[in-house]
Amino acid sequence: MRILALALAAVLVLAVPASAQVRDIAAVNGWRAYVAQTDNGPLCGMGTDANRLGRFFWIKVERMQGNLHGFVQVGDRSWNVRQAATGRIVIAIDSRRAELNYHGTSRADMIEASYQGAFQNFLNFVEAFALGLRMQVLFPGENVSPWSADLRGTRAVTEAFLACARRI
C-alpha cells in the first residue's frame, strides 16, 4: 500500500506544477481525475501511469491569460527527449483521430502537446475519450511503437474532469 501511495505521489509531480495543491475527484481502473490549485489558479487533469512499462498519459486544462487551454502530456520513463524537440502525435480513440504537435519539456521523459484551435474542439476530444473503448497513441516519424490503452470504465473519471474544466 505504501508503494502505491508513493507511485501516486510521483504521478502528480508529472502533471501539475510543484507549487500546486492537488485533490483527487475520481478514480477508476487505474485512471484518475484531479483538481489542483496552482499559483495561476485552478488546473484540472486526468490520466494514468498505471502500467508496468513506465508510460504515462495525462490530459489537463488550465486557464492562461483568461482563456482555457488544453494539453496532453505523454511520457515514458525510458525516454530521453531534448527540451527543444518538436514533432507530432496522433491519438486515435476508436475510429476518431486527433493530431497534435508536441514539444519537449524540462523533463527528458515527457512531451507535451498543446491543443491548437477552438477549445470546444478539445472538449469534444475529451468527450470522445469518455465514450471510447480503446485508445492508441501513435508517433509518426519517430522510432516509438504505438501505445494502446483500454478506456473501459473511464467515463466516470472523464465526467469528473469535464465538470472540473467547466468550473474553472
Side-chain angles (χ1 to χ4, degrees), residues 11-17 31 34 43-49 55-62 70-76 79 89 91 100 102-103 105-107 109-115 122 125 135 137 139 147:
V11 168
L12 290 176
V13 170
L14 302 174
V16 298
W31 294 86
Y34 65 88
L43 173 152
C44 301
M46 71 173 190
T48 187
D49 79 333
R55 298 174 179 168
F56 51 90
F57 179 88
W58 293 94
I59 297 172
K60 67 177 186 172
V61 172
E62 60 185 307
F71 300 90
V72 175
Q73 295 174 323
V74 178
D76 186 314
W79 285 356
I89 59 173
I91 302 171
L100 303 170
Y102 73 79
H103 61 271
T105 68
S106 60
R107 294 176 45 114
D109 66 346
M110 182 173 73
I111 58 176
E112 182 171 82
S114 175
Y115 190 85
F122 181 75
F125 162 73
M135 176 180 72
V137 181
F139 305 87
W147 295 3

Side-chain angles (χ1 to χ4, degrees), residues 81-162:
V81 179
R82 291 181 341 273
Q83 193 168 355
T86 59
R88 65 188 171 103
I89 59 173
V90 175
I91 302 171
I93 299 171
D94 298 333
S95 63
R96 300 175 103 180
R97 294 169 59 96
E99 188 171 317
L100 303 170
N101 294 319
Y102 73 79
H103 61 271
T105 68
S106 60
R107 294 176 45 114
D109 66 346
M110 182 173 73
I111 58 176
E112 182 171 82
S114 175
Y115 190 85
Q116 303 297 316
F119 187 73
Q120 187 59 42
N121 291 339
F122 181 75
L123 292 180
N124 290 340
F125 162 73
V126 174
E127 288 170 351
F129 183 94
L131 300 173
L133 299 175
R134 191 133 208 77
M135 176 180 72
Q136 191 171 40
V137 181
L138 305 130
F139 305 87
E142 300 293 335
N143 188 20
V144 178
S145 298
W147 295 3
S148 193
D150 184 355
L151 298 180
R152 289 177 293 185
T154 59
R155 186 178 187 98
V157 169
T158 309
E159 287 176 357
F161 169 80
L162 288 169

